[in-house]
Amino acid sequence: SEVAFDPPPVPRSVLKSDQEAGMAEMRPMKGSVPNQLAMGAAGGYTTTPLSVSGFALPPAVQWAGGTWEIIGDDSQVLVTILKQNEELITEPGSLLSSGGYFEPTIVMGGMGAGCKRSCCAGESCFRVAYKNNLPAEQTVTLTPSYPAKIIPLDMAQHPGGVNLTRAAWMSSFGRQHEFDLAQAPSCLAACCGGQGCFYTTLKGPGMTFVNAGGTALKRTLAPGEVVVVDTMALVAWESTVQIDVQTVGGFMMMCCGGSGCFNTKLTGPGLIIVASMSGDRMRTAYMPYTQQGGGGGG
């Protein structure tokens, strides 16, 4: 009869050598990210390219015991706590969840203001108000209308207000904020600056929240400092910042550079916020697919 037996164990030295051989095969090739980091360190650079550009990532929002919290990585969520008689004003369609005792109401800030926002700035006529009328605390959870990050702005640090591109505003605590319109500084800026003839202005104390797709960057310009950005990259800029346009370059650059004919020119002082995938840029990117219509057949 046959006798069954187990194969002898493989020596650990053999396993270790095989693993080292496998790791050797997985070593990064020339030009890979680890090698680039090593090359950068060898070059003596001590400041990151982002720092040299003057821009910075918005600081990671850490909950510090307040009544709001931003969670998530890319498509972020705003979770708020409303005490009795506190109110949260939001863009229509931004609700993710809420307590079961809210009775949301529609506000316009006046018929004229609502019509101006809709007709001249491409915004909704309406705002949704969530007010807690109960003694117990209630929660409201919001999310942007497209995949985006949420950027909090303490309006007390911007007493002159901020200007916003279309669909940048998401929510604010209370009704003390004033929404209005500002006219583009010139006909050229109105036609070619990417913001239209009018854009939304926001003033007032308290916290407000804007949304920006992709990667958002912030920069505070010094008086007279100039930065040029793509016309679709701008999200918000302080009222002290002057906005204008300039050509992207010569005739060939205008025709073949892929950036159109004009870029947006911003002159400080003040805060600016740009994003790699703003609402306008996202709409432009997806428009060819949404206009195809019909279903594809196999």
Side-chain angles (χ1 to χ4, degrees):
S1 61
E2 297 182 355
V3 179
F5 64 94
D6 295 330
V10 180
R12 296 182 62 86
S13 60
V14 175
L15 289 176
K16 184 177 180 181
S17 62
D18 289 345
Q19 292 172 355
E20 291 176 346
M23 292 300 294
E25 295 175 358
M26 297 171 61
R27 288 174 185 164
M29 300 298 291
K30 182 178 180 181
S32 65
V33 173
N35 278 354
Q36 291 177 29
L37 295 176
M39 291 163 57
Y45 292 102
T46 59
T47 305
T48 66
L50 179 60
S51 299
V52 174
S53 73
F55 285 95
L57 291 169
V61 181
Q62 300 290 338
W63 183 70
T67 58
W68 59 270
E69 181 181 10
I70 297 173
I71 60 175
D73 296 322
D74 294 320
S75 298
Q76 292 186 321
V77 171
L78 172 66
V79 184
T80 66
I81 299 174
L82 297 182
K83 300 178 181 179
Q84 187 176 20
N85 296 324
E86 288 185 339
E87 195 171 24
L88 186 68
I89 310 298
T90 75
E91 183 73 5
S94 60
L95 178 68
L96 183 62
S97 68
S98 72
Y101 301 99
F102 280 105
E103 293 184 2
T105 57
I106 297 296
V107 296
M108 296 180 64
M111 181 69 72
C115 291
K116 285 196 301 182
R117 286 197 307 269
S118 177
C119 298
C120 302
E123 299 281 0
S124 172
C125 288
F126 308 103
R127 302 282 190 253
V128 182
Y130 294 90
K131 184 176 181 179
N132 182 15
N133 295 311
L134 300 178
E137 295 179 342
Q138 301 289 321
T139 62
V140 179
T141 304
L142 307 176
T143 186
S145 58
Y146 65 98
K149 292 180 174 64
I150 301 173
I151 304 172
L153 291 177
D154 184 358
M155 296 302 294
Q157 299 180 8
H158 312 287
V162 295
N163 303 318
L164 304 170
T165 58
R166 180 175 54 171
W169 178 81
M170 190 187 80
S171 180
S172 297
F173 278 106
R175 299 194 190 187
Q176 66 271 29
H177 294 92
E178 299 178 8
F179 291 90
D180 205 347
L181 296 181
Q183 187 174 358
S186 65
C187 292
L188 189 61
C191 296
C192 309
Q195 314 305 322
C197 296
F198 301 90
Y199 41 81
T200 302
T201 64
L202 177 63
K203 295 181 181 180
M207 292 300 302
T208 196
F209 302 90
V210 299
N211 44 228
T215 299
L217 298 174
K218 299 172 68 175
R219 179 172 178 176
T220 300
L221 299 177
E225 186 178 8
V226 176
V227 65
V228 177
V229 302
D230 183 82
T231 55
M232 290 189 181
L234 191 59
V235 175
W237 63 103
E238 206 165 356
S239 60
T240 53
V241 175
Q242 299 178 15
I243 184 172
D244 207 342
V245 295
Q246 71 177 37
T247 58
V248 298
F251 176 78
M252 289 300 295
M253 183 62 189
M254 291 182 183
C255 295
C256 310
S259 299
C261 296
F262 296 91
N263 282 326
T264 300
K265 179 182 177 182
L266 303 167
T267 305
L271 171 72
I272 63 171
I273 301 175
V274 298
S276 61
M277 188 58 72
S278 63
D280 285 341
R281 177 170 283 179
M282 183 169 289
R283 280 187 288 270
T284 301
Y286 285 116
M287 191 176 297
Y289 302 98
T290 58
Q291 293 180 342
Q292 287 179 356

